[in-house]
Amino acid sequence: MAKSQGKKENRGRKNLSDTPAWWDTFPWWGIAIVAILLWMGYQIVTKDSYDLAWERVIPGIRITITATLQAFAIALALGLLAGMGQLSRNVFSRNLARTYVEFIRGIPILPLIFTVALVLLPQIQDALGFKLSFQMRATVTLAFIYGAYMAEIFRGGIQSIAAGQVEAGRSLGLSRRQTMNSIVLPQAMRAIIPPLGNDFIAILKDTSLLSVLGVLEITQRARQFSASTFKFREGYFVLAFIYLVLTLGLSLLLGLLERRMTRDDRGVRSNRGID
Amino acid sequence: MISIKNLSKTFNKNIHAVRNVDLEIDEGEVVVIVGPSGSGKSTVLRCINRLEVPTEGSIAIDGVELTDPKCNIDEIRAEVGMVFQQFNLFPHLTVMDNICLAQRKVRGKSKSEANEMAMKQLLRVGIPDKADSYPRQLSGGQQQRVAIARSLSMEPKIMLFDEPTSALDPEMVKEVLDVMLELASEGMTMAVVTHEMGFAKAAGDRLVFMDEGMIVEIGPPNKVFENPEEQRTKDFFDKILY
């Protein structure tokens, strides 16, 4: 009797503990994902029909990756410009930036891709007298869309810095620009980089939409393979596998980057200067 | 040195924070501004380096009109030190970089010149060993002393203090007031908004009592404390002193 009572007490204490058991916090999902990836990889390597799909789809990865990097770089510049523009003192640039952001954010990506790449950009091209390759036009379109999303990230990041920081900088005699560059932006970066990383992954996934324009990236190649061989399962299975490896790998990297930055935030690492 | 004439500041067209304030601050003088919250004392102070733009009236520092659209406000601000209630140190920079940033960007000093000045000011406020720390690693009192050192490193002609001890734990108030007292004894021109009546008595040349945006009474601290002419001043001190 006494023994069983003791057991009960013990169990009670366990439930009250504020440190959860290891199995409660263990990242089981990671094991599951790795297992799924291994299984998918095994299918592709061992089955001939999957092997063929792989051979037909994988060459598109170069275009997928270039388009992602290019679109991200251009979107970054556009986003910074439009984000700062929204906070500008100048009435014209403020409203121009706002119009751009609201216009883009109000329309889904797919119709935007058609409109921008097939209507807007050709018209601008004709008016200004230059010529972009079809793939580049599609990439610029994606950048144009994500620039608007990023503008909101930049604006929010900058606005998250307390007004007192600007006042302290200005009252030391720093100009508006110096205050922005040396005080506000470096601090805002901590708030900006994680969502920018998410957008990078989102751009990678949304390069698949360029397939509707006929750009030969992996989705378009998978579509072509499946349509011509009727091996839909194999084509899209391989496609999903490639995207998963890319996005999971990227979010792993971004997680590391974020952890590094939060450590920096606590002032443990101290290799940042003002130069 | 500072000449405030008929200063008024209105927020949102109907909140009159400051009404028709006239105040002269001479070189080397320590003026302490007190009053109930919302009486406009901080707003007056913030107008002196144009963190608030006056609605009416004029402010001149060494004869230069701040309200003149042609004046270079950055140049003036470099000569006017400001210490805030919330310290406002730059959290992403070390103490040393906090103090060197404006010296280098505004004064164009070399790294070694700026460092030398920074160490001199850190010694003055008593925490030279914290040069490589980040603000969040310091106590409130230490942070405020760094903020004072940061302002002093610009070698300002006047220092403005906006409730510098109001956000501090009680045991840290003295270390900051000691630095301010020393500064006053060295002849620095100072305008101080504070609730520390002890400081006002010890260091203040003149005490300004404000209420509802207006200067109610102005005079030597001891006289205003012990023998106020206005009933409102008397009521205020009756409430806060015991």
Side-chain angles (χ1 to χ4, degrees), chain B residues 98-130:
Chain B
N98 260 280
I99 303 177
C100 289
L101 180 68
Q103 289 190 70
R104 299 193 59 192
K105 302 253 172 194
V106 180
R107 296 277 192 240
K109 286 191 193 173
S110 73
K111 192 168 181 172
S112 60
E113 282 174 321
N115 279 12
E116 197 181 322
M117 170 60 82
M119 278 320 288
K120 189 175 136 194
Q121 300 304 342
L122 279 176
L123 272 168
R124 191 175 186 173
V125 300
I127 38 175
D129 52 319
K130 298 293 183 190

Side-chain angles (χ1 to χ4, degrees), chain A:
Chain A
M1 185 69 195
K3 215 176 184 182
S4 75
Q5 228 172 17
K7 233 181 195 174
K8 249 183 203 163
E9 253 170 43
N10 259 341
R11 209 183 295 147
R13 205 173 295 148
K14 210 180 207 173
N15 288 341
L16 269 179
S17 161
D18 60 355
T19 43
W22 69 271
W23 47 261
D24 194 57
T25 51
F26 189 81
W28 297 107
W29 61 272
I31 304 261
I33 290 277
V34 169
I36 292 170
L37 282 180
L38 284 176
W39 176 75
M40 287 175 99
Y42 179 75
Q43 303 288 315
I44 291 169
V45 170
T46 52
K47 291 191 180 154
D48 279 351
S49 55
Y50 285 88
D51 208 31
L52 187 65
W54 174 266
E55 270 169 28
R56 292 281 295 278
V57 173
I58 201 69
I61 202 163
R62 252 194 72 190
I63 294 180
T64 296
I65 290 175
T66 357
T68 305
L69 292 175
Q70 285 171 339
F72 184 73
I74 301 169
L76 212 55
L78 277 174
L80 184 62
L81 218 62
M84 303 264 277
Q86 287 191 80
L87 300 171
S88 163
R89 276 187 306 166
N90 184 309
V91 153
F92 178 73
S93 39
R94 210 166 52 221
N95 283 284
L96 184 71
R98 193 63 199 262
T99 309
Y100 163 57
V101 170
E102 293 297 335
F103 181 81
I104 297 286
R105 291 207 311 161
I107 307 174
I109 295 187
L110 196 55
L112 263 180
I113 285 184
F114 286 126
T115 335
V116 177
L118 300 178
V119 184
L120 202 60
L121 277 177
Q123 269 176 4
I124 295 175
Q125 273 185 355
D126 291 346
L128 299 179
F130 64 95
K131 194 117 184 75
L132 290 175
S133 71
F134 198 71
Q135 187 195 322
M136 199 59 203
R137 251 196 284 163
T139 308
V140 168
T141 304
L142 204 55
F144 197 64
I145 295 165
Y146 270 89
Y149 299 163
M150 288 186 190
E152 288 299 275
I153 296 176
F154 279 108
R155 185 180 62 81
I158 290 169
Q159 283 182 328
S160 73
I161 303 305
Q165 291 289 308
V166 175
E167 287 182 354
R170 295 306 303 279
S171 66
L172 284 164
L174 293 166
S175 68
R176 213 169 261 277
R177 177 180 293 260
Q178 286 171 330
T179 306
M180 181 55 81
N181 290 344
S182 303
I183 297 166
V184 178
L185 278 183
Q187 293 184 63
M189 272 322 190
R190 302 229 161 95
I192 287 170
I193 286 180
L196 278 190
N198 291 341
D199 268 8
F200 187 74
I201 294 175
I203 289 178
L204 174 75
K205 289 189 291 182
D206 282 348
T207 54
S208 63
L209 291 169
L210 301 187
S211 65
V212 298
L213 297 173
V215 175
L216 277 175
E217 41 70 67
I218 49 177
T219 303
Q220 178 65 2
R221 279 176 179 271
R223 282 172 67 185
Q224 284 182 349
F225 169 78
S226 304
S228 59
T229 59
F230 293 104
K231 293 189 156 89
F232 290 96
R233 184 212 304 228
E234 287 84 352
Y236 290 118
F237 186 95
V238 164
L239 184 64
F241 178 74
I242 297 173
Y243 277 124
L244 258 181
V245 169
L246 288 175
T247 53
L248 289 175
L250 269 174
S251 50
L252 214 62
L253 282 177
L254 288 168
L256 287 177
L257 181 72
E258 250 172 73
R259 205 177 323 161
R260 238 190 71 163
M261 282 190 355
T262 45
R263 189 163 45 163
D264 202 312
D265 199 40
R266 288 190 206 115
V268 177
R269 279 154 38 79
S270 57
N271 55 3
R272 290 175 133 256
I274 53 172
D275 298 275

